[in-house]
Amino acid sequence: MKILLHICCANCAVYPVKILHEERHKFTGFWFNPNIQPHEEYKLRLESVKWLAGKWELDMIYADEAIKNPAPHPGESGEFSNENLQIPERPDRCRACYRLRLEKTAQEAQHWGYEAFSTTLLISPYQY
């Protein structure tokens, strides 16, 4: 089965990647996380995923790699301000983030002919 695996970070990718390899699935990692804030955290996660992909020779697609500075949350570094913007609390904020990333993953999977898609968000102990 050809799978597109959305990866949120290297830590959460380790176990699913290991299992997919053991089960001999053909898969490609997919980095699309423009909502990760602050930008320093975004860069750390991207760097760690690139390191893991290099070490384990993973096929990867970096869909938002060209984004040099994803939109910051209101009040962060003075780069973004919209007094009327309402950032929901968890779990509503989590649903919005999942939707953003998984809709893009599904679109890419369909576009490139993958038979299935999944995400490492399912394994993270920090997710709702």
Side-chain angles (χ1 to χ4, degrees), residues 31 42-52:
W31 171 266
Y42 173 90
K43 289 189 301 186
L44 286 172
R45 289 189 194 195
L46 177 58
E47 289 168 10
S48 70
V49 167
K50 285 183 174 184
W51 178 85
L52 183 68

Side-chain angles (χ1 to χ4, degrees), residues 7 23 31 57 76 78 95 107:
I7 296 177
E23 294 181 359
W31 171 266
E57 299 179 359
E76 229 180 68
R95 282 190 208 100
Q107 290 167 357

Side-chain angles (χ1 to χ4, degrees), residues 61-101:
I61 297 170
Y62 297 95
D64 62 331
E65 184 176 25
I67 298 174
K68 292 185 178 147
N69 192 5
H73 288 188
E76 229 180 68
S77 306
E79 298 171 306
F80 181 72
S81 90
N82 183 341
E83 294 176 12
N84 297 322
L85 183 64
Q86 298 294 316
I87 304 290
E89 294 298 321
R90 286 180 162 194
D92 293 330
R93 184 177 69 230
C94 297
R95 282 190 208 100
C97 288
Y98 298 158
R99 186 175 303 111
L100 170 74
R101 295 185 275 182

Side-chain angles (χ1 to χ4, degrees), residues 19-74:
I19 296 300
L20 290 170
H21 271 297
E22 287 175 1
E23 294 181 359
R24 300 188 186 272
H25 290 287
K26 295 179 184 176
F27 70 96
T28 300
F30 184 65
W31 171 266
F32 181 74
N33 298 292
N35 57 315
I36 294 174
Q37 299 296 326
H39 186 61
E40 291 73 29
E41 177 68 18
Y42 173 90
K43 289 189 301 186
L44 286 172
R45 289 189 194 195
L46 177 58
E47 289 168 10
S48 70
V49 167
K50 285 183 174 184
W51 178 85
L52 183 68
K55 183 162 180 68
W56 286 3
E57 299 179 359
L58 302 177
D59 290 330
M60 288 291 302
I61 297 170
Y62 297 95
D64 62 331
E65 184 176 25
I67 298 174
K68 292 185 178 147
N69 192 5
H73 288 188

Side-chain angles (χ1 to χ4, degrees), residues 7 9-20 52 56 120 123:
I7 296 177
C9 66
N11 290 346
C12 291
V14 171
Y15 184 72
V17 166
K18 179 180 178 271
I19 296 300
L20 290 170
L52 183 68
W56 286 3
T120 60
I123 198 161

